[in-house]
Amino acid sequence: MVKDQEYLNNIASQTIEYSKKLGATDVNVEVVHSISETVNLRNKQLDESNRSDSFAIGITTYIDKKKSTISSSNLSKDNIKILTERCIETAKITPDDEFNSLPDKELMAKNFESLDLYDEFHVPNNKKIDILKEAEEAASKETKIINTETDFTENKSNFVLANSNGFINGYKTSNFNISCVAVAKKDSQMERDYDFTTKRHFSDLINPKNIGECAAANTIKKLDPKKIKSEKIGIVFDKKISKGILNVLSSAISAGAISRGTSFLKNKIGEEIFPKSLNVIDDPKIKKGLGSKNFDSEGVETNNLKLIENGVLKSYLVDTYYGKKLNLKSNGRCGGTSNLYFENGSMPLETLLKSSKKNLYITETIGHGTNLVTGDYSVGANGFMVENGEFIYPVSEITIAGNFKDIFKNITLANDLEFKYSTNAPTLLVEGMIVAGR
């Protein structure tokens, strides 16, 4: 069991009290206890089993506009005293930064909804192994599958965040994950793919048999890939990777990137950067959401934020430090977004695939080829050629490229949005991208 709230609260409160005695003008403390259990199988045999039990404390002290941060995994009273003293001494010798401060008091979280983020249920190791065997049995029924690997991870965590302005709060979270990787072989050629399920509550996980079957099917479809010639073509991004477009958006509208002038979306508030039909929402209050939270990593209240409304950029992701630099109030996004998603499209996937005579359906991208300063994008990719809405053959060893200013403007969404991650997007089509092939 993870430590209860009272235990963590006491450590945080005592640390703040001691820091103030040593001369800190402000203090911020986070205390975390996490337990993680992982079981891995390879070809239906136990490959590895591991349990980790970890504590962490992070202390930030301010002396007026001077600031220092220190962290440790040792929560003994003696060690925390040493850490606090070091943190104070370091703060004294750092230069003043006029933007250093705790969040404004009026922005701190006061409403704490029950988000149902914790499941007490513990999965015994024998049950974990049975679940993984079921997934591997399902995957291995396909004769072309020659190798399987599965993983079951159970994470439990509790934390408290406190500061010298009187804020102190925290909550427990849990996370259960099943994944299955399958390797298929035909003649001398082999391919690999996977499927997975991740939920806050154990009872919400997808049946392991379905995970194994999907992993096998995804892998077998990739056998016999072809190389294609270079051309300009519509790219369809599978749901596994379409969320990556939202990750680029969130990085480009972070107050840090805007303040430093390193984003292609600087000074774009109020401008139409997506099609008018498109909305992007960050909702921290989704029940059981993988990114749900009542406050950000500074304790600032998080509320629903429509980042893109009818195609128009409405807000940056603002924390306290960079908010002060930009003369903006924090909107509770220190540490990034919560549950970020495109509002669902109106077009069935089948219709989207038939919208052009020929599209390239991408299931995997390789590398991180995004330049946030210019918006240029270029990554390796694998996928399938689609003609008249039908999957014709797998494609490999290609590069897809474009610029996000154009990519954002040319997105069409399908209506198959699911919440499998903390950032989610439906399958989407981007017209007119460059494919570099043979």
Side-chain angles (χ1 to χ4, degrees):
M1 292 286 289
V2 289
K3 293 289 186 182
D4 60 28
Q5 214 68 38
E6 185 179 356
Y7 175 85
L8 302 177
N9 284 353
N10 286 338
I11 293 173
S13 299
Q14 289 166 12
T15 305
I16 289 175
E17 186 180 346
Y18 190 55
S19 299
K20 297 287 280 186
K21 279 184 182 176
L22 294 179
T25 52
D26 281 308
V27 191
N28 187 85
V29 178
E30 185 173 14
V31 189
V32 184
H33 180 213
S34 302
I35 296 173
S36 179
E37 290 186 358
T38 301
V39 174
N40 302 98
L41 263 61
R42 184 189 296 270
N43 294 326
K44 303 169 199 170
Q45 300 296 316
L46 181 65
D47 188 47
E48 189 177 2
S49 175
N50 182 52
R51 175 187 167 94
S52 64
D53 193 323
S54 61
F55 291 93
I57 183 168
I59 306 168
T60 301
T61 58
Y62 298 84
I63 299 177
D64 298 320
K65 294 300 179 184
K66 301 176 185 293
K67 175 186 170 185
S68 176
T69 299
I70 197 164
S71 61
S72 173
S73 59
N74 183 345
L75 266 60
S76 70
K77 284 186 179 179
D78 289 344
N79 187 60
I80 291 174
K81 278 192 172 183
I82 293 169
L83 288 173
T84 306
E85 289 160 6
R86 284 183 183 171
C87 199
I88 294 284
E89 291 306 311
T90 306
K92 287 177 181 174
I93 59 173
T94 58
D96 283 344
D97 184 334
E98 62 176 309
F99 303 108
N100 280 337
S101 75
L102 291 178
D104 297 338
K105 281 186 180 180
E106 68 269 19
L107 298 179
M108 303 303 292
K110 299 172 186 67
N111 303 304
F112 304 101
E113 294 182 26
S114 174
L115 298 174
D116 203 7
L117 304 179
Y118 187 71
D119 184 356
E120 291 277 359
F121 184 69
H122 171 64
V123 187
N125 274 346
N126 285 343
K127 186 173 179 66
K128 290 185 176 80
I129 291 170
D130 289 343
I131 287 170
L132 297 182
K133 281 184 176 177
E134 186 179 350
E136 292 203 21
E137 289 285 355
S140 302
K141 284 182 180 174
E142 296 286 348
T143 55
K144 291 176 181 171
I145 299 300
I146 60 164
N147 197 311
T148 52
E149 295 177 30
T150 46
D151 171 282
F152 191 118
T153 303
E154 177 181 348
N155 297 312
K156 301 280 178 63
S157 182
N158 196 8
F159 85 102
V160 66
L161 178 69
N163 69 34
S164 52
N165 278 343
F167 179 85
I168 182 162
N169 205 283
Y171 50 87
K172 292 179 180 177
T173 59
S174 58
N175 186 285
F176 301 85
N177 177 79
I178 302 170
S179 66
C180 178
V181 175
V183 178
K185 183 176 182 181
K186 184 180 178 185
D187 300 327
S188 61
Q189 190 223 358
M190 291 195 290
E191 294 291 342
R192 175 184 181 276
D193 212 319
Y194 70 97
D195 196 29
F196 77 99
T197 173
T198 299
K199 297 291 180 184
R200 291 288 190 189
H201 287 241
F202 175 74
S203 60
D204 293 330
L205 289 170
I206 295 171
N207 189 310
K209 179 172 176 286
N210 291 347
I211 300 297
E213 289 173 345
C214 285
N218 292 342
T219 306
I220 290 169
K221 279 193 299 188
K222 293 171 71 174
L223 289 168
D224 286 334
K226 296 182 181 179
K227 297 179 182 178
I228 59 173
K229 64 180 182 180
S230 300
E231 60 182 320
K232 195 171 186 179
I233 190 172
I235 300 285
V236 180
F237 288 85
D238 183 87
K239 282 187 288 185
K240 278 183 183 176
I241 57 171
S242 59
K243 64 186 177 65
I245 288 178
L246 285 177
N247 289 333
V248 172
L249 173 68
S250 64
S251 297
I253 61 172
S254 74
I258 299 298
S259 172
R260 291 188 293 268
T262 56
S263 169
F264 66 97
L265 292 180
K266 184 179 180 181
N267 298 326
K268 297 293 184 183
I269 291 288
E271 289 193 21
E272 191 175 303
I273 61 171
F274 283 93
K276 283 185 177 176
S277 59
L278 203 146
N279 297 306
V280 176
I281 295 164
D282 187 41
D283 185 357
K285 303 296 175 65
I286 294 176
K287 300 283 185 187
K288 299 182 180 179
L290 293 173
S292 295
K293 49 191 169 186
N294 279 306
F295 51 87
D296 71 0
S297 55
E298 295 182 309
V300 175
E301 187 151 341
T302 52
N303 291 302
N304 190 302
L305 197 60
K306 192 170 262 191
L307 295 166
I308 303 293
E309 186 171 14
N310 300 324
V312 176
L313 178 61
K314 304 297 285 188
S315 180
Y316 297 136
L317 302 170
V318 186
D319 63 356
T320 298
Y321 181 82
Y322 288 107
K324 288 181 184 293
K325 280 195 165 184
L326 295 169
N327 201 26
L328 296 171
K329 281 190 175 182
S330 170
N331 52 22
R333 263 62 186 180
C334 183
T337 54
S338 55
N339 299 298
L340 180 67
Y341 62 96
F342 278 116
E343 221 168 49
N344 212 358
S346 57
M347 187 183 294
L349 176 58
E350 295 75 15
T351 306
L352 185 81
L353 294 176
K354 290 178 181 175
S355 61
S356 300
K357 186 177 179 182
K358 183 178 171 185
N359 290 313
L360 194 57
Y361 188 99
I362 299 298
T363 55
E364 181 181 16
T365 56
I366 304 157
H368 303 281
T370 301
N371 184 333
L372 277 185
V373 179
T374 62
D376 288 338
Y377 173 68
S378 177
V379 293
N382 297 318
F384 298 88
M385 184 58 69
V386 178
E387 294 181 8
N388 301 315
E390 300 293 328
F391 286 74
I392 305 301
Y393 53 82
V395 173
S396 67
E397 297 183 36
I398 57 171
T399 299
I400 58 175
N403 185 285
F404 273 102
K405 294 174 191 170
D406 302 320
I407 291 171
F408 287 169
K409 281 279 189 183
N410 290 288
I411 286 178
T412 304
L413 301 176
N415 64 355
D416 56 357
L417 177 67
E418 289 181 284
F419 286 85
K420 292 187 72 171
Y421 312 86
S422 57
T423 298
N424 296 281
T427 308
L428 60 85
L429 166 67
V430 180
E431 296 282 5
M433 290 189 69
I434 301 295
V435 174
R438 62 176 183 244

